[in-house]
Short mmCIF file of all heavy atoms in Angstrom, two decimals:
data_model
loop_
_atom_site.label_atom_id
_atom_site.label_comp_id
_atom_site.label_asym_id
_atom_site.label_seq_id
_atom_site.Cartn_x
_atom_site.Cartn_y
_atom_site.Cartn_z
N VAL A 2 9.04 2.32 23.04
CA VAL A 2 9.02 2.98 21.74
C VAL A 2 9.38 4.44 21.94
O VAL A 2 8.78 5.13 22.77
CB VAL A 2 7.64 2.86 21.07
CG1 VAL A 2 7.61 3.64 19.77
CG2 VAL A 2 7.29 1.39 20.83
N LEU A 4 10.07 8.26 20.16
CA LEU A 4 9.77 9.10 19.02
C LEU A 4 10.71 10.30 19.03
O LEU A 4 10.85 10.96 20.07
CB LEU A 4 8.32 9.58 19.07
CG LEU A 4 7.24 8.51 19.21
CD1 LEU A 4 5.85 9.14 19.15
CD2 LEU A 4 7.38 7.45 18.13
N ALA A 24 10.02 6.81 14.69
CA ALA A 24 9.82 5.91 15.82
C ALA A 24 10.87 4.81 15.80
O ALA A 24 11.23 4.29 14.74
CB ALA A 24 8.43 5.30 15.77
N ASN A 27 11.04 -1.88 19.56
CA ASN A 27 10.58 -3.20 19.10
C ASN A 27 9.12 -3.12 18.64
O ASN A 27 8.22 -3.70 19.25
CB ASN A 27 10.73 -4.22 20.22
CG ASN A 27 12.19 -4.44 20.59
OD1 ASN A 27 13.07 -4.42 19.73
ND2 ASN A 27 12.46 -4.62 21.87
N ILE A 28 8.93 -2.43 17.54
CA ILE A 28 7.58 -2.19 17.04
C ILE A 28 7.12 -3.34 16.17
O ILE A 28 7.79 -3.71 15.22
CB ILE A 28 7.54 -0.88 16.23
CG1 ILE A 28 7.90 0.30 17.14
CG2 ILE A 28 6.14 -0.67 15.64
CD1 ILE A 28 8.10 1.59 16.40
N LEU A 29 5.97 -3.88 16.51
CA LEU A 29 5.37 -4.92 15.69
C LEU A 29 4.46 -4.30 14.64
O LEU A 29 4.49 -4.67 13.47
CB LEU A 29 4.57 -5.89 16.55
CG LEU A 29 3.79 -6.98 15.82
CD1 LEU A 29 4.75 -7.92 15.09
CD2 LEU A 29 2.90 -7.76 16.79
N LYS A 30 3.67 -3.34 15.09
CA LYS A 30 2.71 -2.72 14.18
C LYS A 30 2.35 -1.33 14.69
O LYS A 30 2.21 -1.13 15.89
CB LYS A 30 1.45 -3.58 14.09
CG LYS A 30 0.40 -3.05 13.15
CD LYS A 30 -0.80 -3.99 13.11
CE LYS A 30 -1.86 -3.48 12.15
NZ LYS A 30 -3.03 -4.36 12.07
N ILE A 31 2.19 -0.40 13.77
CA ILE A 31 1.69 0.92 14.10
C ILE A 31 0.27 1.04 13.55
O ILE A 31 0.04 0.84 12.37
CB ILE A 31 2.58 2.03 13.53
CG1 ILE A 31 3.97 1.97 14.17
CG2 ILE A 31 1.95 3.41 13.76
CD1 ILE A 31 4.96 2.97 13.61
N ASN A 32 -0.67 1.36 14.42
CA ASN A 32 -2.06 1.48 14.00
C ASN A 32 -2.39 2.88 13.50
O ASN A 32 -3.12 3.04 12.53
CB ASN A 32 -2.99 1.12 15.15
CG ASN A 32 -2.91 -0.35 15.51
OD1 ASN A 32 -2.66 -1.19 14.66
ND2 ASN A 32 -3.12 -0.66 16.77
N LEU A 100 2.01 8.23 18.27
CA LEU A 100 1.85 6.96 17.56
C LEU A 100 1.32 5.92 18.53
O LEU A 100 1.72 5.88 19.70
CB LEU A 100 3.21 6.49 17.01
CG LEU A 100 3.64 7.00 15.64
CD1 LEU A 100 3.85 8.51 15.64
CD2 LEU A 100 4.89 6.29 15.19
N ASN A 101 0.45 5.07 18.02
CA ASN A 101 -0.01 3.95 18.83
C ASN A 101 -0.01 2.68 18.01
O ASN A 101 -0.14 2.71 16.78
CB ASN A 101 -1.38 4.24 19.43
CG ASN A 101 -2.46 4.44 18.39
OD1 ASN A 101 -2.90 3.51 17.73
ND2 ASN A 101 -2.88 5.68 18.23
N GLY A 102 0.16 1.57 18.69
CA GLY A 102 0.23 0.28 18.01
C GLY A 102 0.59 -0.82 18.98
O GLY A 102 0.21 -0.76 20.16
N ARG A 103 1.36 -1.77 18.50
CA ARG A 103 1.76 -2.89 19.34
C ARG A 103 3.26 -3.14 19.19
O ARG A 103 3.83 -2.94 18.12
CB ARG A 103 1.00 -4.15 18.95
CG ARG A 103 -0.50 -4.01 19.00
CD ARG A 103 -1.22 -5.34 18.92
NE ARG A 103 -1.12 -6.08 20.18
CZ ARG A 103 -1.95 -5.89 21.19
NH1 ARG A 103 -2.91 -4.99 21.12
NH2 ARG A 103 -1.82 -6.60 22.29
N ILE A 104 3.86 -3.58 20.26
CA ILE A 104 5.28 -3.92 20.23
C ILE A 104 5.43 -5.45 20.17
O ILE A 104 4.48 -6.18 20.40
CB ILE A 104 6.06 -3.36 21.45
CG1 ILE A 104 5.51 -3.96 22.75
CG2 ILE A 104 6.00 -1.85 21.46
CD1 ILE A 104 6.32 -3.54 23.96
N PRO A 108 2.23 -6.32 23.87
CA PRO A 108 1.66 -5.13 24.52
C PRO A 108 1.47 -3.97 23.55
O PRO A 108 2.20 -3.81 22.59
CB PRO A 108 2.72 -4.78 25.58
CG PRO A 108 3.46 -6.04 25.81
CD PRO A 108 3.48 -6.74 24.47
N SER A 109 0.45 -3.20 23.84
CA SER A 109 0.21 -2.02 23.03
C SER A 109 1.06 -0.85 23.52
O SER A 109 1.57 -0.88 24.64
CB SER A 109 -1.27 -1.63 23.08
OG SER A 109 -1.64 -1.32 24.41
N PHE A 110 1.25 0.13 22.69
CA PHE A 110 1.95 1.35 23.09
C PHE A 110 1.22 2.57 22.57
O PHE A 110 0.48 2.50 21.59
CB PHE A 110 3.41 1.35 22.60
CG PHE A 110 3.56 1.56 21.12
CD1 PHE A 110 3.68 2.84 20.59
CD2 PHE A 110 3.58 0.48 20.24
CE1 PHE A 110 3.82 3.04 19.23
CE2 PHE A 110 3.72 0.67 18.89
CZ PHE A 110 3.83 1.95 18.37
N ASP A 111 1.42 3.66 23.24
CA ASP A 111 0.86 4.96 22.85
C ASP A 111 1.91 5.99 23.27
O ASP A 111 2.00 6.33 24.44
CB ASP A 111 -0.48 5.20 23.54
CG ASP A 111 -1.21 6.42 22.98
OD1 ASP A 111 -0.53 7.39 22.61
OD2 ASP A 111 -2.44 6.39 22.93
N SER A 112 2.70 6.43 22.32
CA SER A 112 3.87 7.25 22.62
C SER A 112 3.77 8.64 22.02
O SER A 112 3.12 8.84 20.99
CB SER A 112 5.14 6.56 22.11
OG SER A 112 5.32 5.32 22.74
#
Side-chain angles (χ1 to χ4, degrees):
V2 176
L4 306 184
N27 295 324
I28 298 171
L29 175 64
K30 181 179 181 179
I31 296 176
N32 292 330
L100 273 64
N101 62 73
R103 304 193 75 85
I104 62 175
S109 61
F110 73 90
D111 190 325
S112 298

